[in-house]
Amino acid sequence: MSTGLSYVYAVHSTRPDDVGAVEIVFVDEREARRYAQDRSQDWRVPATSVTRFVVGYLGTRHPLTWFADGEEQPARKARPGKLYPVADAGSV
């Protein structure tokens, strides 16, 4: 049964100089997962993730999975690196 909603799947990558940047958006979840799994094995990419969105609707972000070293990780496992860069207390 079709719901009439259009889903897209964004692949985010974590890198030391750019945390969580969206690299590419797919209309097929399997393609997004394959790309994220492969990309997580690249140099300087400690992790990737796949997030689903409904086109044209705010608040529809839904994290699906994440990968490290080509392996799918448990949803609650700690991610590598800093999720949100913060200023060093000594430099403020």
Side-chain angles (χ1 to χ4, degrees):
M1 177 185 351
S2 174
T3 62
L5 300 176
S6 296
Y7 295 97
V8 293
Y9 304 89
V11 176
H12 311 260
S13 66
T14 301
R15 293 184 303 257
D17 57 342
D18 194 10
V19 179
V22 173
E23 289 197 3
I24 189 167
V25 177
F26 291 91
V27 294
D28 182 80
E29 181 179 344
R30 283 178 288 180
E31 287 183 56
R33 286 174 177 263
R34 277 194 297 266
Y35 178 86
Q37 183 177 22
D38 185 60
R39 182 75 169 110
S40 73
Q41 297 175 77
D42 288 353
W43 181 71
R44 292 185 50 131
V45 177
T48 59
S49 63
V50 179
T51 305
R52 182 183 69 208
F53 296 88
V54 179
V55 175
Y57 290 89
L58 292 174
T60 59
R61 178 184 179 276
H62 181 77
L64 296 177
T65 191
W66 72 284
F67 296 88
D69 296 320
E71 298 294 325
E72 190 167 0
Q73 302 297 308
R76 298 204 182 271
K77 184 177 179 182
R79 272 41 170 203
K82 294 180 182 180
L83 290 179
Y84 302 100
V86 293
D88 180 12
S91 66
V92 178

